[in-house]
Every structure is written in C-alpha cells, then in structure tokens.
Amino acid sequence: MPVFKRLTAILTVAALAVALAPPVEARTRKGDKLLIEGRSKEAAKQWDAALELYEQALSTDPSDPAYRMAADRVRFQAAQAHIDTGLGLRSQGRLTEALIEFQKAYAINPGSSAAEQEIRRTQQMIQREQEREKAGTAKPEERALTPQQLEKRRIDDKIATMLPVPELKPLNTSLINIKMNNQSPRVLFETVGKLAGINVLFDPEYTAAKNQSIEINNATLDEALDYVGVVTKSFWKPLSANTIFVTNDNVTKRRDYEEQVMKVFYLTNVNTPQELQEIVTAVRSVADIQRLFGYNSQNAIIARGEADRIALAEKIISDLDKPRAEVLVDVIVMSTSTGVTRKLAATMTPQGLSVPIAYNPRQSIRAGIANTATSTDTTTAATTTAATTTSTAIPLSNIARWATGDYAITLPDGLLQAVLNDRSTRVLQSPQLRSVDNQKATLKIGDRQPTATGSFQPGIGGVGINPLVNTQFTFIDVGVNVDITPKVHDNGEISMHVELEISSVRDHVNLGGIDQPVISQEKAIHDIRLKDGQVNLLAGLNQTQESKTVVGIPGLSSIPILGKLFSSEQLDKSQSELLIALIPHIVRRPDITEQNLRAVAVGNSTVVKLNYAPRKPAETPAQPGAPAAPAVPAPATGVTAPAAPPKPGAPLGVPPASATPAPQAPQQVAPPPAPPVPQAAAPAAPVGNARVLFVPAQVETALGGAVTVSLVLENAVDLAAAPMQIKFDPKVLRMNDVVKGTLMGNDNQQVIFTKNILNDTGTATINLNRMPGAGGVTGSGTLVTMTFQTVGRGVATVSVPQFTPRNIKSAPILTASPLVMVTVR
C-alpha cells in the first residue's frame, strides 16, 4: 500500500509539470514546404521571392530556428540586390528609379546602413539636379555623378590643366649663324632672340658684364643661348614657348628664378622595399635632390626639384628600373647502389657456445623466508591472510640435500644455413630551379625528421613523468636540399653559389629514453662559373665496402675444416655511386641598351644643367595664332650648308646675309582658324525620326474585362535603352503584368528587363537595356505589352509621362508622351 501511494504521487507531479509547461509548437508541414520552395528560389538568386516564402514559413512557426535563419540570411541578400540595382540605375542618370530601389532595400532590411546612406545621397543628387534645371545649368553628363565623383572630376580636370615646365618653340627653327664684336650682353641675347623669333626679358637687377665678342655657327637656339650665357655669366630660363628671362648666374638668382618640378616615378621592376630604397638613395646622391621620397605600396618615387635635376633623376631611374636576369637550373641527382650478402653455416652452435645454468632449489630445502599478503572482504568484513615463499635461498644445514634436480641447463641449437642476397637500387631525381639574378632559390625534396635538441626540468617532481613532456624538438630536412644563388654576366656566363645536400635516415639510437635518428648526409658547397647550358658534375662519389663476419666457439671455430662445424660465416659486399649534375640556362638577360651606357653632361659641381639635341621639325609646332615660320630651303643633299663668312665692312651686331635674309615685309598668310570657344553644354536634342504610339490608340470594354495594349516604337536608330514610367487610374484599371516586346532583342541579344508595378498609386516603372557591348538595334517594333484588369467604370488614360529612349551614345532618340484612352462601361 505505501508503494502504491508513492507511485500515485509521482504520476501526479509529472502530470502537473506537463500541464504547467509552456506549449512548444513543432515544425509544420506547410512551413517545411515553403522552406523547400524558398531554397529553390534562393538557388536561382530570386531573393525577393525567396524572402517572401521564408517569411511565410516563419509565420507558421515563429519559434523554429531554421525558418528564422533562412529569412535573416536572405533578407540581407535581397536588400543588397536592390542596392546593386539602384547603383546601376543611378550610374545611368535615372535617379528616381534608383531612389525607389534604395527605399525597397531599406524596407527589406532597416538595419542596412548602406541603403540608408544611398537614399540620403540620391535625394541630395535629385535636389541638386532640380536646382540646376531651375537655374538652366543642368549637364546631362553630370546627372549620374555623386558629390564625391563631381569633386573628383573637378580635381582631375584641374590636374589635367597643370602645365609642365615651359619649353621654347621658336618660330624660326633654322640653325643660327652669327658674329658680333664688342657688344653688351643685352644686345647679344636680344640679337639671338630676334633671329629665332622669341622675346627676351631681363631682370631689373641684371648687371651686364663688359662687352663681349662672339661667333656662333650652325647652332640651335638653346645652344646659342647657352653659349651667350656662359660667356656673359648669365642665367636664362623660358617663361613661355616664345619668351625667355635673363638674369645674373649666381646661387641666389638661381634659387629665386630656377623652375622647380614635381614628378612621381612608378617603378615596374622593383620587387622589395630594399630595392626601392637603394634606387632612392642612388638618385638622391647623384642628382642631388633633397626632396626625394619612396612610396613602397605603389613602388613609386616622389621627387621635387629643379627641372634639370628631375630630368637627370628620370634618366637614372630609367636605367635602373629594369627586369633582372633569370636563370633556370636543371638539377639531376643519380644514385646507384648494389649489395651482396652471403651466409654459410653448418654448426651446432651458430652463435657460439653460451650455455646458462639456472638454479631453482626445491621448496623443501629453501629457507623459511615468507611474504605475507592480507585481504579484506568489504561485504562480510572478514580478513584473510596468506603466506607465500618466493626466496631461492637455502640454509647451510640443507647443503647436504643438494641434488642435480635443483639446476636447469639449455643445450645449444644446431643450424644449417646457406643464403645469398643480391640487391640493386637506382634513384633518379631531376627537379628544376628558376631564380632571379642574385636571388637565392631553394629546393627541398624529402621529409622533415624530428630530433630532440634540449630539455628542461619541470618545477614539480620529475619521477614518473614522460620525457616527451619536457623535451624540445626541432625538424631537420631530410632528402635532397638545394640552395642556388645565380649571377648572370654580360658575356653569357653564370656564376652560382651552390649548397647541395643529400641526406637520409640511416638508423635510430635511443638516447635518454628518446628514439633519435642517425642521419647520413652528403653535402657540397661550391662557387662555380659556367656557360649557358654547360654541365657541371658535383659530389661524384664511388664507394666500395666489403665485410666478413665469423661467429663461433673460440678455439674450436679456428680448427681447419672442422671449425666450420662450430662457426657461422657472413660476407657482405656493397658498392654505391652518386652523381649530381647542374645545368644552368639563362631565361632572361640584363636589358642594358646603348642609351643606358652612354654618358650625359650634367653641368658642374654646383649646378645641374642638361643639354638636349636638336628636335625634329615635327616636334616643334608653332604656337597657335602665331604666323608660320618662313620656309628655309635645304640643299639637295639634305645637309645644312655652312654659313658664308661676313663681308668686310659689315656692321657689327648684324648677322651675315647668308645666315639670315634681309628683313622683308611680312607675307600675307591666312591666319589659322581660331580654336573653338567652350560653351555650356545644352540639353541634348532628340536624334532621328523615331515615333512612339500605343496600339490600339483607344479601347472600350466592359467592367471586369481585360485590356491589352502595346507600346510601339517606329524608326529607331541604334536603340540601347528604353526607360519609362507608366501612369494609369487605379480606380478604373489594375495592371496585371508587363511583358517585354521583340524590338530590343530582335538580333537575339540579351536584354535586361526590370519592372516595378504599384497598383495602389497607379504607376509602373519599366526598364529595358541592352547588354554592354551589344550595340544598338535599328528598326520598328513592340517595346512592351501591358495587360490591365478593369475594376471600375469610367474613362481612364494610360500615359507614359517619362519616356526618353536612348541610343548607344546615351543621346535621346525622342522625347514623347503617348497615351491611350480606356472606356469602361
């Protein structure tokens, strides 16, 4: 009876626990079906449909983690897909449609900061374009640009207008021939300038030196000015293409007037920051540029200095930034080994005579030394004591009772053996190494063998502790290890520092309880110089080993003939040969040209001054708007004729008649056309004779009927995009579907088609775009076909208020707003 009461109480408590526990809903069959459908939509990247199915599944069982995880995962993907679509629309200048996509993304995932940011940015762009349209300053090419992109374009345009150092482009490119006696420096510079058709300006503080006499024959303008500058100790610099500035040549004036240049050099053949820093150090030291810095992440060098110093730095960097030579090395390792082992034995004692005698006295004569063992039974609390005798000692009084039965002996075995073992091994390894000039290349083929290198004593007692706990190990590369550092010489030879090691685990020994490998190795370190393709043999090793082992009974085994019965004999013969061959091949040679090897004049110890050869006529065009230089006929041989000597009595400071023709009235030459004046971009006008219309143009139907209308475009030329917005009366019509027509894809090219139908507001946004690079289509056809359902009586208008199809150059084909009248009885 007490047992029955106890069982009844337990059952009552269990029933109360079940009744008071919160209900747990199990996964529903409908939810699982929706989950499977959603996964298929997700696999097809239809994120909106997948999210809708997952949310329906979640509504059937909100506590199911599988439904919730699927919905949360796809919610992010769906929002991101709308963001990507919005970015694409905004890049095309379709701001309103892009804003709708961003708003959809935010509605799907309110936690998306990217969607919130793009909504704010797009709203600012729409407001900016509205203000520009009111002011009449809207530019279609800037409609799709964000504020950051607009600022970047402004900076790029400003950078593009930055001018380099002025370069003289004289009107008269003929060689200068002049002789002047006892003239001032100003007259010398001005005369050279007039001959070349350039202006000469002087520093107000320019102090002319004493008069000089000079004769210049067959010199370019730059050379003539340099000659005059050296003689008069003057410094000149170009201010524009046809003007120079002259002042005294000293450190102060050069610091005040010498033009400085900033340039960024991008190096393409530098691999490490160390190489970049070495080039920076070399350029800074040779070109004497103080403001010179390296930028490792872009392999770039930023320099600022005088124009000639920067030009010299450019020359040095061009000479140093070259691809390094490369070498391919064939490593051939050939190893052969043979071994013969012979064992002969016909004996009673193959391992010699070793007969142990074991002493095991009888129990009756052993000493009475006993071991006592005690055990206790915990269930009965009884204790049992047992005595066992394990000692082999006997008392001296029992010596007389010894017998042969107290001893045991093992008799020797006999052996008859004749074994011959012949083995042969061949190993061939032929890896290849490719290395850059003066860069080490490493090849490792084999295993990494652990070996103990040290140990430490733990802080606690070390008795019973596994030695592996406190032993330090390192790993040794066992196999074929090759390190090669090549150096390519200009004569086609290759120097190589070679470290080659061939190792293997030969045996193992036990040291301190740890099994340690015994590694045999053959290592060679060489510095060699070879020709391309030349074979070099390394570490050739031939080894022959013969050993004979005799095991038997001393004395008896030495008896002639009979000794064979008391001994065994083993004969081992082994022979090994190792051959290592290195064959280098030059893959790329140093690319050093004649231009890199020639020396250039760089001025003196304080001033860097570069001189340039005369430019070709095609490289010295006349300035826009300036009169053309008079044509100077050249001799038939193409060589400039030497200038005739000045006539006696000719006035000083006037060039000879043969060098420069007498001044004549300027020839009437038609001025070149004036460059076009940039104007503000006007809105692009529609191109072509395209025409858009609804088919049919008027529809009459009953309530509840279906209405189908098509939007047709005629005479389209290079049509690439057709964005549109459809407006209709939601009280009379409801749009069921929109299907793309055949016009955009009449050449079987893929067309991007998107639609967004909002029946509550009576609008639908439709986009038709050709794939990039597919070109445009020409002709007439249907753009879209729309299906409506009549939901009310009255007259409704279906219109396209925003319809601007564009060609492949993004120019509008037409701007029109067709409409169709729908009457519902």
Side-chain angles (χ1 to χ4, degrees):
M1 190 66 179
V3 175
F4 177 76
K5 290 183 178 180
R6 181 180 298 177
L7 180 59
T8 303
I10 293 174
L11 293 176
T12 303
V13 172
L16 290 175
V18 173
L20 296 177
V24 179
E25 298 183 6
R27 293 177 59 176
T28 63
R29 182 176 301 176
K30 179 180 179 181
D32 291 343
K33 181 179 179 181
L34 293 170
L35 182 65
I36 295 174
E37 294 178 0
R39 287 173 178 171
S40 64
K41 297 293 184 182
E42 182 180 357
K45 298 187 182 301
Q46 299 178 9
W47 308 114
D48 291 344
L51 178 60
E52 183 178 357
L53 292 172
Y54 287 152
E55 288 181 343
Q56 291 178 10
L58 184 61
S59 64
T60 62
D61 187 3
S63 62
D64 190 277
Y67 300 158
R68 184 171 300 278
M69 290 173 61
D72 292 342
R73 181 182 67 253
V74 175
R75 180 174 289 107
F76 171 80
Q77 295 287 356
Q80 189 62 39
H82 283 286
I83 292 175
D84 295 340
T85 304
L87 292 174
L89 293 172
R90 193 173 67 186
S91 65
Q92 300 174 8
R94 297 148 64 181
L95 303 181
T96 304
E97 302 169 21
L99 180 61
I100 293 174
E101 292 295 329
F102 295 142
Q103 290 172 345
K104 288 181 181 179
Y106 186 76
I108 292 174
N109 186 12
S112 175
S113 58
E116 183 180 0
Q117 183 181 16
E118 298 302 337
I119 288 174
R120 183 167 55 252
R121 182 179 290 122
T122 307
Q123 289 175 343
Q124 293 174 356
M125 295 172 63
I126 293 175
Q127 183 179 1
R128 179 195 67 195
E129 293 303 316
Q130 291 175 350
E131 294 176 354
R132 287 186 172 185
E133 290 177 359
K134 291 179 182 179
T137 59
K139 298 180 180 179
E141 66 274 10
E142 294 183 354
R143 179 178 177 83
L145 300 180
T146 63
Q148 292 83 356
Q149 291 172 337
L150 275 178
E151 181 64 18
K152 180 67 167 56
R153 171 176 285 192
R154 186 192 65 82
I155 294 175
D156 291 342
D157 294 341
K158 185 176 181 180
I159 292 175
T161 58
M162 292 181 180
L163 298 177
V165 176
E167 184 177 354
L168 280 179
K169 297 179 181 179
L171 298 180
N172 187 0
T173 59
S174 303
L175 297 179
I176 295 176
N177 297 275
I178 187 174
K179 180 178 180 180
M180 292 179 287
N181 295 324
N182 196 25
Q183 296 297 322
S184 66
R186 288 179 177 267
V187 174
L188 297 178
F189 275 108
E190 288 176 348
T191 303
V192 173
K194 289 179 180 179
L195 290 176
I198 63 172
N199 303 317
V200 181
L201 302 179
F202 293 94
D203 183 8
E205 299 179 357
Y206 179 60
T207 56
K210 62 180 180 178
N211 294 354
Q212 299 289 339
S213 299
I214 189 171
E215 181 178 359
I216 301 174
N217 295 318
N218 297 330
T220 63
L221 174 60
D222 290 345
E223 292 173 345
L225 292 175
D226 288 339
Y227 298 160
V228 175
V230 170
V231 172
T232 61
K233 295 184 179 179
S234 301
F235 161 64
W236 68 273
K237 58 171 283 188
L239 295 180
S240 65
N242 62 348
T243 303
I244 66 170
F245 175 81
V246 180
T247 185
N248 295 107
D249 189 3
N250 54 56
V251 177
T252 303
K253 292 298 182 180
R254 281 188 173 271
R255 185 176 60 246
D256 294 342
Y257 292 107
E258 196 166 11
E259 199 74 26
Q260 290 215 341
V261 179
M262 191 283 297
K263 188 171 183 178
V264 179
F265 302 94
Y266 293 95
L267 281 66
T268 58
N269 298 296
V270 171
N271 299 321
T272 63
Q274 179 183 357
E275 295 176 357
L276 179 64
Q277 188 59 41
E278 289 177 355
I279 294 179
V280 169
T281 303
V283 173
R284 180 182 291 117
S285 302
V286 176
D288 195 17
I289 301 177
Q290 301 300 323
R291 296 179 177 89
L292 187 72
F293 306 95
Y295 186 58
N296 292 331
S297 64
Q298 293 292 335
N299 282 342
I301 297 177
I302 308 169
R304 178 191 170 191
E306 292 77 9
D308 285 334
R309 296 181 190 271
I310 298 299
L312 179 58
E314 187 173 14
K315 168 71 168 58
I316 298 173
I317 293 174
S318 176
D319 293 342
L320 297 180
D321 184 28
K322 290 184 175 295
R324 298 165 64 181
E326 291 189 48
V327 177
L328 180 67
V329 182
D330 292 325
V331 182
I332 301 176
V333 180
M334 293 173 286
S335 175
T336 61
S337 62
T338 58
V340 176
T341 302
R342 187 191 67 186
K343 294 182 180 179
L344 296 176
T347 177
M348 299 298 296
T349 56
Q351 302 297 328
L353 187 61
S354 176
V355 182
I357 300 175
Y359 172 60
N360 186 17
R362 292 162 291 165
Q363 185 69 29
S364 59
I365 65 173
R366 291 183 182 181
I369 302 175
N371 294 329
T372 302
T374 303
S375 62
T376 304
D377 190 352
T378 58
T379 58
T380 61
T383 303
T384 302
T385 302
T388 59
T389 304
T390 59
S391 175
T392 59
I394 62 174
L396 293 177
S397 60
N398 292 337
I399 292 178
R401 300 173 58 185
W402 283 353
T404 57
D406 297 329
Y407 296 89
I409 188 172
T410 301
L411 295 179
D413 297 333
L415 177 64
L416 178 61
Q417 185 180 37
V419 178
L420 179 64
N421 188 359
D422 190 355
R423 58 189 180 275
S424 176
T425 304
R426 291 179 176 86
V427 178
L428 173 63
Q429 293 177 328
S430 57
Q432 287 184 330
L433 279 179
R434 180 166 177 169
S435 176
V436 179
D437 183 60
N438 208 25
Q439 188 77 26
K440 184 174 74 170
T442 300
L443 174 67
K444 297 181 183 295
I445 302 176
D447 303 324
R448 292 177 62 83
Q449 183 70 30
T451 178
T453 57
S455 61
F456 61 93
Q457 183 68 30
I460 60 176
V463 179
I465 296 179
N466 192 324
L468 295 177
V469 176
N470 56 0
T471 303
Q472 300 173 350
F473 288 87
T474 188
F475 288 85
I476 300 176
D477 294 312
V478 177
V480 179
N481 303 319
V482 183
D483 292 335
I484 298 178
T485 304
K487 175 64 179 177
V488 179
H489 301 281
D490 56 354
N491 61 351
E493 295 184 350
I494 307 165
S495 294
M496 292 190 299
H497 176 77
V498 182
E499 297 185 8
L500 191 144
E501 175 185 330
I502 299 178
S503 57
S504 62
V505 178
R506 181 174 56 84
D507 200 355
H508 288 80
V509 295
N510 189 285
L511 300 176
I514 300 176
D515 191 31
Q516 293 278 67
V518 177
I519 299 175
S520 63
Q521 66 175 2
E522 297 173 358
K523 187 173 184 179
I525 301 178
H526 288 259
D527 285 292
I528 55 179
R529 181 162 177 163
L530 305 172
K531 293 182 179 180
D532 186 359
Q534 183 178 358
V535 180
N536 182 77
L537 300 180
L538 293 177
L541 177 62
N542 296 327
Q543 181 179 1
T544 302
Q545 183 176 356
E546 182 175 347
S547 61
K548 181 178 181 181
T549 305
V550 177
V551 179
I553 301 175
L556 296 179
S557 61
S558 301
I559 300 174
I561 301 175
L562 294 179
K564 299 291 184 179
L565 299 176
F566 302 97
S567 65
S568 63
E569 180 180 304
Q570 178 174 339
L571 180 64
D572 293 325
K573 291 183 179 181
S574 63
Q575 184 177 4
S576 63
E577 182 177 358
L578 176 64
L579 180 64
I580 303 170
L582 299 179
I583 308 174
H585 305 280
I586 298 177
V587 180
R588 180 186 291 116
R589 295 179 180 271
D591 186 18
I592 300 176
T593 63
E594 181 180 357
Q595 183 179 358
N596 303 137
L597 298 175
R598 69 185 182 90
V600 295
V602 296
N604 52 43
S605 60
T606 57
V607 177
V608 174
K609 179 67 173 68
L610 300 181
N611 302 313
Y612 298 91
R615 302 178 183 85
K616 298 179 180 179
E619 298 178 355
T620 56
Q623 294 297 312
V632 180
T637 59
V639 181
T640 305
K647 296 181 179 181
L652 296 177
V654 179
S658 61
T660 304
Q664 298 178 357
Q667 185 179 3
Q668 297 295 330
V669 180
V677 179
Q679 299 178 355
V687 296
N689 298 318
R691 175 171 171 262
V692 64
L693 67 154
F694 275 109
V695 177
Q698 188 172 356
V699 178
E700 184 174 349
T701 185
L703 180 63
V707 178
T708 301
V709 295
S710 298
L711 187 64
V712 178
L713 182 62
E714 298 178 347
N715 303 325
V717 178
D718 289 337
L719 177 64
M724 65 188 76
Q725 185 179 29
I726 309 297
K727 293 285 293 184
F728 57 91
D729 189 355
K731 297 180 181 179
V732 180
L733 299 175
R734 177 182 180 83
M735 182 178 290
N736 292 336
D737 196 9
V738 180
V739 181
K740 67 178 179 180
T742 59
L743 176 60
M744 296 288 287
N746 61 7
D747 56 350
N748 297 326
Q749 291 289 340
Q750 186 178 359
V751 178
I752 302 175
F753 174 68
T754 61
K755 58 184 177 180
N756 182 28
I757 302 174
L758 301 175
N759 283 309
D760 295 337
T761 59
T763 59
T765 303
I766 304 170
N767 294 301
L768 292 166
N769 290 277
R770 302 263 297 176
M771 292 295 292
V777 295
T778 301
S780 303
T782 302
L783 289 174
V784 293
T785 299
M786 295 165 284
T787 304
F788 295 91
Q789 182 75 29
T790 59
V791 295
R793 291 185 173 87
V795 178
T797 302
V798 180
S799 61
V800 189
Q802 297 182 11
F803 181 64
T804 308
R806 299 181 180 274
N807 59 16
I808 57 177
K809 296 181 179 179
S810 297
I813 295 177
L814 60 83
T815 303
S817 298
L819 55 87
V820 58
M821 301 294 295
V822 180
T823 303
V824 182
R825 299 186 302 274

